[in-house]
Amino acid sequence: MQYEAVIGLEIHAQLLTESKMFCGCPTKFGAEPNTQTCPVCVGLPGVLPVINKRAIEYVVKTGLALNCEITQYSRFARKNYFYPDLPKGYQISQYELPLCRGGYLEIALNGRRKKIRLTRIHLEEDAGKNIHEGGDYSLVDLNRAGVPLMEIVTEPDIRSAQEAAEFMRRLRMILRYLGVCDGNMEQGSLRCDANVSVRPAGQEGFGVKTEIKNMNSFKFIEKALEYEINRQIRLLSKGEKIVQETRLWDAKRGITESMRSKEEAHDYRYFPEPDLMPVEIDEGWLNEIRAQIVELPDARMERFIKEYNLPEDDARLLTEERAMADWFEEAVRLGGHPKTVANWMMGELLRLLNKDGIQIEDSKVKPAQLVGLLSLIDRDVISGKIAKTVFEEMYQTGREAEVIVKEKGLLQITDTEEIERIVEDILNNNPKEVERFRAGEQKLLGFFVGQVMKATKGKANPRIVNELLRKKLSA
Amino acid sequence: MELYRLGIREAIELISKKEISPLELLESVFQRIDSVEERIKAYVTIERESAFNRARGLENKPMEGKLHGIPVAVKDNICTRGVRTTCSSRILENFIPPYESTVTSRLTVQGYILAGKTNLDEFAMGSSTENSAFFITRNPWDTERVPGGSSGGSAAAVAADECIAALGSDTGGSIRQPAAFCGIVGLKPTYGRVSRYGLVAFASSLDQIGPLTKCVEDAAILLNIIGGHDHHDSTSVAMSVPDFTSALGMDIKGLKIGIPREYFIEGVDKEVENGVRDAIKRLESLGAVPLEISLPHTEYAVATYYILATSEASSNLARYDGVKYGLRMDGENLIEMYMNTRHHGFGAEVKRRIILGTYALSSGYYEAYYRKAQQVRTLIRQDFENAFKEVDVIITPTTPTPAFRIGEKTRDPLQMYLSDIFTIPVNLAGVPAISIPCGFSGEGLPIGLQIIGRHFDEENILKVAYAYEQDTEWHKRRPVL
């Protein structure tokens, strides 16, 4: 029998606000335990939450970018459960009236476009962290308690592990474009759980689902879901039943494993948070937020193709990250030829950045410097080959191309007489090869060019070298 | 002169004229505490040393604040930095807040002196202070009787002159009912008028801090200070606070007072009813116009309250889990630690309400209980809104009976709950109300008159209360101790 997978995702994105969701504590990552805390986020008796407006704006921004309906009067709710990392004994979240409803994100896979519908986006606070370091005790770190979290829930529209991974890639790209989340999956600032079920192809109803957690990279999302889909198909094919449960992805063993069954699921006793007034988003505020939304990846890619005449692949790669696309446009604005800039970025720059694991915004070499280098090539001051060496140096030090070229004596030799002397030397030193060339072995021209370049340490202007060699050899 | 008998206005007047000093006033109050506290037991913590330090510090300073050197008692569910705040619960018996509540910060700015922290029903859950985990506070008029609750410690301290004034909190009557039982003035402001930041939450949508004082003017003075928006409390309203004392002394001619028929029913003590009816006549003689009105959903108020208040409480009290502060009892594992801590940390009434609230919020019951109760709450609020289209204030008894005997209602929680039957609808509607003395029973127990106003119209209820007070002598009577 043919089976079809049905997948819905539940994504948690930590928002890039300066302060926490309901107090003024910083959201900095990696500080000493319990140093980023105050009476409010440790849940002392008598404290009250105050909404971080910026967090609301980030969620609304995301909602607008994902075509959601923005709720005019939305409300916070308490989700009640006991856990040591949850200082108040409840999490302030949203339940009946989330900030955003509906919406979709379009993905493209194997040239096919598909809309994945969203159910809702809501805002909540993160919990702290329990630390088990052995012994008969555990420790609690509340630095993360109260950090704003955006929860994005999709409809069960996803049909394969690849689609799920692609959805996450697109989503991450957009969140980073909007500047609302850094998208770091390893550190957990972007997390994703999946509800997975399978059904015979063509069947309307859903099968029994499992919830998969702990997939902290795109690769693991794909692998974990692939595994889970196959596991369910295997069970059904044998006539066995799927148990509704939560399963953890074990990356080392490459399997999903049962964590707890849904029968033990909590009754969270949601009710409206009485300490907070409903959030009212009026037309004025909405327009303000709308105005803050930057051009998103798809639109920017289309524009790059049209405006800069770039091939689609180049345009896609360059618009994946906002910082990359900004870098490109800055270089073009400063006079770089679009396709040449694209080639240098996708070739040399990305290679070096990837090798060192550096983000483009932290690159020492800036658009203006690349344009400086390109102009040296255009003006025949250096050769393209030398330019690569110069670029490496620029990348390492952030210095101007012209300075490096002067300092290292890399100026191209365009003096015909000087090159002619060298060419004659090479021909005189290689009589056999000259003879063979004249006897018709034309491919030896490359050999002579190489010898000249070697003698000039690559600085000879290749056009002049070629011209002179042809002239001398045919004489 | 016995300085401890003074109210805020009188004391401040004498201090500003340098006829008395803050230290003299404080010494008098503490002498009074020393002579009567053993019998009243109003205080959980007496701040003798810090109070005297403060008084000495203020001694020769120019008078800057409106409470320069005034000893005030604060209910022990309002956080005071560095001063133990117990909520009269074992679970917070040794809890010392590292931060200050907004209301006490505001009092501090005005130069008040914290006399001590007063006893209450554990987490403000109760109507007699018999639910305190530590001891029962006595009614100064008859020490065999309860002072009311939950702000019983504050009310008794004011009535017994163990302080000049006090703060309490009112969720279903916890300021007004003890004020009525102890023969003093108790004001519950409009929900949102006073910041709740630092008030240990019982039921967040109902809790409100307010003054308990020896006279109406003192209540206005304290409300002037504690009222107003606070950026720490999103439910506090960004609205300018009028000078409430300026409303006092204005005449009440033509003012319409509503008499809701649902509040004069069987079960109301005859002496209480007569006291209130006499008060209405007195107001009429001052020019007010009484009108019979109806608040048709009154009978559902207590049931509604006990669903909403307990639901919120079940969540608000979840933080007392033994992990971060307060009592911790060991256990074999996490769950046992939770259970042992909460088993030993909470008293019976608190547990009863946590269980009730947890049940009302549970999936499958939420619609029938919590949501329905919210709907009824809306109807009750509309009752008041409709009534206030016709009248300026509403007058009722504060309580159905005068103070009852210690132990009289402890075995029957429902009977206890019914002692708040006239105060609860006010919290559900969020409107302000004041209780002032309007007579005494044959046994010499005070009777309270409740004056209810429109949202954010504390001015009118203070005006009416003051007019009545100035025309009567009840507030001048003091218990003999």
Side-chain angles (χ1 to χ4, degrees):
Chain A
M1 198 189 301
Q2 274 293 106
Y3 284 95
E4 173 185 63
V6 177
I7 302 169
L9 299 178
E10 207 180 287
I11 298 114
H12 287 94
Q14 254 177 39
L15 297 181
L16 280 174
T17 52
E18 293 282 316
S19 55
K20 291 186 178 180
M21 186 62 233
F22 298 113
C23 64
C25 287
T27 52
K28 255 197 335 253
F29 181 83
E32 282 293 299
N34 297 310
T35 56
Q36 319 281 299
T37 56
C38 72
V40 174
C41 59
V42 306
L44 286 186
V47 297
L48 296 169
V50 178
I51 294 172
N52 181 340
K53 235 180 121 181
R54 186 60 59 82
I56 302 271
E57 288 176 356
Y58 281 8
V59 172
V60 171
K61 222 171 166 181
T62 307
L64 290 171
L66 297 177
N67 317 293
C68 300
E69 179 199 331
I70 309 301
T71 311
Q72 198 190 347
Y73 288 93
S74 98
R75 204 154 54 178
F76 284 93
R78 291 188 186 175
K79 178 180 180 176
N80 295 285
Y81 64 96
F82 283 93
Y83 206 59
D85 69 7
L86 191 69
K88 298 187 293 297
Y90 57 84
Q91 178 194 33
I92 304 179
S93 179
Q94 296 194 287
Y95 188 59
E96 286 178 321
L97 295 167
L99 278 166
C100 312
R101 281 175 288 197
Y104 63 88
L105 173 63
E106 193 171 86
I107 60 170
L109 204 65
N110 310 323
R112 217 169 50 85
R113 287 174 171 272
K114 179 175 177 182
K115 277 181 184 171
I116 308 295
R117 289 171 304 153
L118 304 181
T119 313
R120 58 189 272 151
I121 306 178
H122 78 236
L123 186 53
E124 60 189 28
E125 55 176 344
D126 211 341
K129 206 167 70 183
N130 289 350
I131 301 165
H132 312 285
E133 51 180 29
D136 56 354
Y137 62 92
S138 294
L139 301 171
V140 181
D141 177 8
L142 295 177
N143 280 352
R144 210 181 60 187
V147 167
L149 268 190
M150 171 168 67
E151 183 176 309
I152 303 171
V153 183
T154 78
E155 292 286 299
D157 283 354
I158 297 168
R159 292 290 171 269
S160 71
Q162 293 72 30
E163 280 185 16
E166 183 56 21
F167 177 89
M168 284 304 290
R169 273 190 210 101
R170 296 294 306 172
L171 179 67
R172 177 175 182 275
M173 207 185 289
I174 289 170
L175 297 181
R176 285 177 54 86
Y177 252 73
L178 295 171
V180 301
C181 174
D182 68 15
N184 190 325
M185 295 190 74
E186 273 97 70
Q187 277 181 12
S189 47
L190 183 63
R191 318 195 271 267
C192 163
D193 302 333
N195 284 307
V196 183
S197 64
V198 299
R199 63 184 176 192
Q203 179 185 300
E204 279 279 317
F206 296 138
V208 176
K209 67 181 176 188
T210 58
E211 190 184 0
I212 312 299
K213 286 178 177 285
N214 199 35
M215 306 175 288
N216 61 358
S217 73
F218 297 126
K219 195 179 78 189
F220 290 153
I221 291 173
E222 208 166 320
K223 284 192 165 174
L225 297 184
E226 197 82 65
Y227 175 89
E228 180 61 17
I229 292 165
N230 288 329
R231 186 187 73 87
Q232 293 191 13
I233 292 175
R234 219 166 37 240
L235 284 176
L236 292 179
S237 311
K238 283 193 285 183
E240 288 174 37
K241 285 218 166 78
I242 311 291
V243 182
Q244 182 170 339
E245 60 183 358
T246 299
R247 298 177 69 85
L248 283 187
W249 166 246
D250 183 335
K252 271 199 200 107
R253 294 194 288 157
I255 60 168
T256 64
E257 209 175 21
S258 177
M259 189 169 101
R260 56 166 187 248
S261 79
K262 274 280 175 189
E263 279 76 35
E264 298 163 38
H266 292 100
D267 178 354
Y268 289 119
R269 290 172 282 122
Y270 283 99
F271 74 103
E273 167 57 282
D275 285 332
L276 295 170
M277 304 301 286
V279 179
E280 186 191 350
I281 300 166
D282 58 24
E283 214 33 55
W285 193 13
L286 201 58
N287 287 336
E288 241 171 75
I289 300 169
R290 197 175 273 127
Q292 292 168 18
I293 296 179
V294 296
E295 187 184 21
L296 293 174
D298 272 345
R300 205 166 190 184
M301 183 184 86
E302 297 295 337
R303 185 167 61 79
F304 275 25
I305 295 172
K306 274 204 205 99
E307 201 172 318
Y308 304 120
N309 217 0
L310 292 180
E312 188 179 328
D313 284 348
D314 291 18
R316 174 169 298 119
L317 189 71
L318 289 175
T319 52
E320 263 178 17
E321 292 281 340
R322 187 166 128 198
M324 176 94 68
D326 288 348
W327 208 100
F328 169 81
E329 292 210 271
E330 175 69 1
V332 171
R333 192 182 64 80
L334 292 170
H337 179 265
K339 180 60 186 157
T340 314
V341 171
N343 288 345
W344 275 88
M345 286 180 70
M346 298 186 312
E348 293 306 295
L349 182 58
L350 271 189
R351 180 179 63 80
L352 293 167
L353 289 172
N354 286 344
K355 185 177 62 127
D356 298 336
I358 293 175
Q359 298 292 317
I360 193 159
E361 48 266 55
D362 302 325
S363 161
K364 282 187 190 160
V365 54
K366 305 290 175 202
Q369 292 164 317
L370 174 64
V371 174
L373 178 71
L374 296 183
S375 123
L376 293 182
I377 304 171
D378 281 351
R379 289 185 281 127
D380 276 344
V381 179
I382 54 171
S383 67
K385 193 159 172 215
I386 290 284
K388 289 196 178 170
T389 322
V390 176
F391 187 79
E392 280 226 40
E393 176 80 17
M394 291 163 70
Y395 171 83
Q396 298 295 347
T397 61
R399 293 195 303 159
E400 301 296 329
E402 210 156 337
V403 176
I404 298 169
V405 166
K406 277 200 188 123
E407 211 177 85
K408 303 216 159 174
L410 296 172
L411 287 177
Q412 184 162 251
I413 304 168
T414 47
D415 180 340
T416 316
E417 277 176 39
E418 193 186 338
I419 298 175
E420 196 168 348
R421 261 199 314 278
I422 297 164
V423 167
E424 276 169 5
D425 277 357
I426 300 287
L427 296 185
N428 290 339
N429 292 338
N430 298 284
K432 272 186 208 154
E433 283 77 5
V434 173
E435 224 165 274
R436 277 164 57 200
F437 182 86
R438 288 187 171 140
E441 221 175 307
Q442 294 279 325
K443 64 170 195 235
L444 274 169
L445 183 68
F447 164 77
F448 293 119
V449 172
Q451 291 297 310
V452 177
M453 284 303 178
K454 201 169 151 192
T456 58
K457 296 192 178 108
K459 291 186 288 183
N461 180 310
R463 189 178 43 80
I464 300 172
V465 173
N466 269 295
E467 251 168 48
L468 286 172
L469 276 170
R470 283 186 194 283
K471 201 169 93 191
K472 298 273 172 197
L473 284 164
S474 60
Chain B
M1 186 174 25
E2 291 154 328
L3 297 181
Y4 58 79
R5 293 255 188 242
L6 297 174
I8 297 174
R9 192 193 50 77
E10 303 155 318
I12 276 292
E13 218 171 280
L14 294 175
I15 290 172
S16 72
K17 287 187 197 151
K18 301 220 182 275
E19 285 177 26
I20 62 169
S21 75
L23 200 55
E24 284 166 349
L25 178 62
L26 191 72
E27 273 164 357
S28 173
V29 167
F30 271 92
Q31 274 165 18
R32 178 67 171 176
I33 290 175
D34 289 339
S35 78
V36 303
E37 172 61 8
E38 210 183 330
R39 280 172 284 158
I40 302 300
K41 299 182 90 52
Y43 286 100
V44 174
T45 303
I46 296 174
E47 277 297 292
R48 190 183 301 267
E49 203 184 316
S50 69
F52 274 96
N53 284 338
R54 241 189 106 104
R56 277 189 287 271
L58 291 171
E59 197 60 3
N60 294 309
K61 289 255 176 68
M63 203 178 117
E64 279 167 357
K66 293 175 182 143
L67 297 174
H68 188 87
I70 303 296
V72 176
V74 173
K75 189 177 181 180
D76 208 21
N77 61 349
I78 296 173
C79 286
T80 40
R81 187 187 182 122
V83 177
R84 194 167 73 118
T85 300
T86 67
C87 294
S88 290
S89 178
R90 293 275 170 227
I91 213 156
L92 288 177
E93 190 166 1
N94 298 306
F95 175 66
I96 298 174
Y99 79 102
E100 188 81 31
S101 73
T102 297
V103 287
T104 49
S105 297
R106 289 180 177 174
L107 297 185
T108 303
V109 169
Q110 298 300 333
Y112 99 121
I113 294 175
L114 176 66
K117 304 294 293 286
T118 56
N119 198 23
L120 61 147
D121 289 293
E122 185 177 3
F123 283 102
M125 296 178 183
S127 311
S128 65
T129 71
E130 290 165 296
N131 294 334
S132 167
F134 307 138
F135 47 80
I136 298 170
T137 298
R138 311 277 168 154
N139 190 318
W141 295 91
D142 176 353
T143 53
E144 293 308 305
R145 289 178 187 263
V146 301
S150 63
S151 310
S154 285
V158 172
D161 292 312
E162 293 187 77
C163 60
I164 301 303
L167 289 185
S169 68
D170 190 318
T171 306
S174 283
I175 288 174
R176 291 159 288 156
Q177 186 254 25
F181 279 11
C182 292
I184 60 165
V185 174
L187 171 64
K188 183 206 89 81
T190 309
Y191 183 82
R193 173 68 87 186
V194 178
S195 168
R196 295 183 291 117
Y197 187 72
L199 169 66
V200 180
F202 156 23
S204 313
S205 74
L206 300 157
D207 296 342
Q208 193 66 193
I209 294 171
L212 293 108
T213 55
K214 296 175 186 177
C215 63
V216 173
E217 186 173 1
D218 286 1
I221 291 171
L222 282 182
L223 186 60
N224 275 349
I225 295 166
I226 62 174
H229 179 65
D230 171 21
H231 68 272
H232 286 299
D233 178 0
S234 328
T235 64
S236 72
V237 173
M239 207 178 182
S240 64
V241 183
D243 176 5
F244 293 109
T245 57
S246 67
L248 309 178
M250 300 210 298
D251 81 63
I252 58 167
K253 278 202 186 74
L255 197 104
K256 290 183 191 142
I257 50 178
I259 318 296
R261 71 175 72 96
E262 291 82 3
Y263 285 64
F264 295 85
I265 46 169
E266 213 173 307
V268 177
D269 183 279
K270 267 291 148 222
E271 289 180 313
V272 169
E273 182 169 345
N274 292 338
V276 173
R277 293 223 184 262
D278 286 349
I280 293 167
K281 277 185 206 128
R282 183 67 71 105
L283 289 168
E284 206 176 345
S285 75
L286 293 172
V289 183
L291 284 172
E292 196 187 73
I293 59 161
S294 172
L295 298 168
H297 297 94
T298 300
E299 62 172 309
Y300 306 109
V302 172
T304 302
Y305 173 84
Y306 276 96
I307 288 168
L308 296 179
T310 57
S311 293
E312 292 180 19
S314 72
S315 175
N316 283 332
L317 271 60
R319 70 188 62 196
Y320 310 108
D321 58 5
V323 174
K324 306 160 295 278
Y325 46 74
L327 181 75
R328 175 191 292 177
M329 302 293 286
D330 284 337
E332 281 299 301
N333 51 42
L334 180 65
I335 299 293
E336 263 189 32
M337 188 276 280
Y338 283 155
M339 292 202 297
N340 291 342
T341 299
R342 290 167 71 84
H343 173 75
H344 287 97
F346 290 138
E349 182 61 25
V350 171
K351 285 180 199 157
R352 180 179 296 124
R353 295 196 192 193
I354 290 174
I355 291 167
L356 270 172
T358 304
Y359 184 83
L361 288 177
S362 294
S363 111
Y365 298 97
Y366 181 87
E367 297 292 325
Y369 292 104
Y370 184 85
R371 195 187 299 282
K372 183 64 76 183
Q374 284 291 20
Q375 289 164 344
V376 178
R377 180 177 186 175
T378 302
L379 294 176
I380 289 170
R381 182 167 41 234
Q382 286 168 355
D383 277 0
F384 281 95
E385 283 163 5
N386 290 334
F388 281 126
K389 285 175 193 157
E390 292 171 44
V391 298
D392 299 302
V393 298
I394 294 171
I395 285 192
T396 76
T398 307
T399 56
T401 67
F404 44 86
R405 283 177 202 289
I406 289 168
E408 194 179 320
K409 301 191 180 193
T410 41
R411 268 176 305 173
D412 188 349
L414 269 182
Q415 275 308 306
M416 187 73 91
Y417 294 172
L418 287 174
S419 71
D420 292 328
I421 188 165
F422 297 150
T423 47
I424 278 174
V426 170
N427 297 78
L428 290 171
V431 293
I434 195 168
S435 177
I436 57 171
C438 72
F440 286 84
S441 72
E443 291 174 293
L445 298 171
I447 296 169
L449 177 75
Q450 178 171 240
I451 309 169
I452 307 166
R454 296 186 182 95
H455 282 108
F456 297 102
D457 187 17
E458 286 87 355
E459 278 171 296
N460 254 322
I461 58 176
L462 285 163
K463 185 168 91 180
V464 174
Y466 188 77
Y468 177 82
E469 183 188 78
Q470 294 307 301
D471 201 49
T472 54
E473 299 286 312
W474 309 120
H475 65 289
K476 291 185 182 156
R477 276 208 211 169
R478 285 297 206 282
V480 182
L481 282 165

